[in-house]
Amino acid sequence: MKLKKIIMVIGLAIILAGCNKSASTLDMKGASTSLDEKYQNMALMSEKELEGIYNQDTTLMEEYIIKSSENQNGNFYALIKVKSENKEKVKNNMDEMFSILENQSSLYSPEAVNLIKNKLATSVGDYLIYIVSENNEEMYNVVKEYIN
């Protein structure tokens, strides 16, 4: 009987220790500043632009930094913090946004279309990360420096 209690206490302690693990966090502002040093002429997309042109529901996002190239060369990145219950909806919305960006880019830049098609899309904890560039891995490595 005592052994059962000891095993239960140890099991409970292990479970509670696992629950206390801190989730990954991303210093979005730091990552954005470093990305802007690598990218050229990036412009922050406004809430009005995101909702009006790209059909994004920014109320599903806790925090976001979404930037695109002022030169319309296809460069783009999005760092988005979402609640876990909204993650799939935001991912679907972002897929729709990339379709719109592809269609817009096809009018003036086949190179930009290829960059968009080869985008990096990943998630870390409650963060969604999208990168469109000539070297997605290099840019993602910049972002990874700001993940705790």
Side-chain angles (χ1 to χ4, degrees):
M1 190 75 145
K2 256 187 172 179
L3 185 57
K4 272 188 178 178
K5 285 183 181 180
I6 291 172
I7 291 172
M8 284 182 17
V9 168
I10 291 172
L12 184 59
I14 291 170
I15 291 170
L16 290 176
C19 291
N20 287 333
K21 283 185 179 177
S22 61
S24 295
T25 58
L26 170 62
D27 174 2
M28 292 173 45
K29 289 180 183 172
S32 178
T33 299
S34 289
L35 286 171
D36 288 347
E37 290 172 5
K38 299 240 178 224
Y39 282 112
Q40 296 291 315
N41 302 312
M42 298 300 286
L44 188 63
M45 298 177 104
S46 70
E47 183 177 328
K48 185 176 179 180
E49 182 179 12
L50 290 169
E51 291 179 351
I53 298 171
Y54 299 108
N55 302 320
Q56 294 298 300
D57 182 353
T58 57
T59 64
L60 298 175
M61 303 174 188
E62 284 186 42
E63 186 179 353
Y64 62 89
I65 298 173
I66 301 176
K67 291 189 175 186
S68 64
S69 172
E70 292 177 337
N71 298 338
Q72 298 182 344
N73 60 9
N75 287 339
F76 173 97
Y77 69 86
L79 309 172
I80 305 168
K81 183 177 183 185
V82 294
K83 292 181 180 168
S84 55
E85 65 266 17
N86 295 333
K87 189 179 269 188
E88 288 308 311
K89 178 67 175 156
V90 173
K91 282 182 181 181
N92 291 337
N93 289 350
M94 289 301 292
D95 287 343
E96 183 179 334
M97 180 177 186
F98 283 112
S99 293
I100 293 169
L101 286 169
E102 269 187 55
N103 288 336
Q104 289 174 340
S105 297
S106 69
L107 300 173
Y108 58 85
S109 176
E111 295 85 11
V113 172
N114 286 332
L115 290 178
I116 294 166
K117 285 183 179 180
N118 294 312
K119 70 185 172 293
L120 181 145
T122 191
S123 65
V124 176
D126 291 334
Y127 297 88
L128 300 175
I129 301 166
Y130 296 90
I131 298 174
V132 176
S133 75
E134 290 182 0
N135 192 337
N136 293 336
E137 281 302 316
E138 178 184 335
M139 295 303 184
Y140 183 55
N141 286 335
V142 170
V143 173
K144 286 196 293 191
E145 293 176 20
Y146 293 90
I147 297 172
N148 297 318

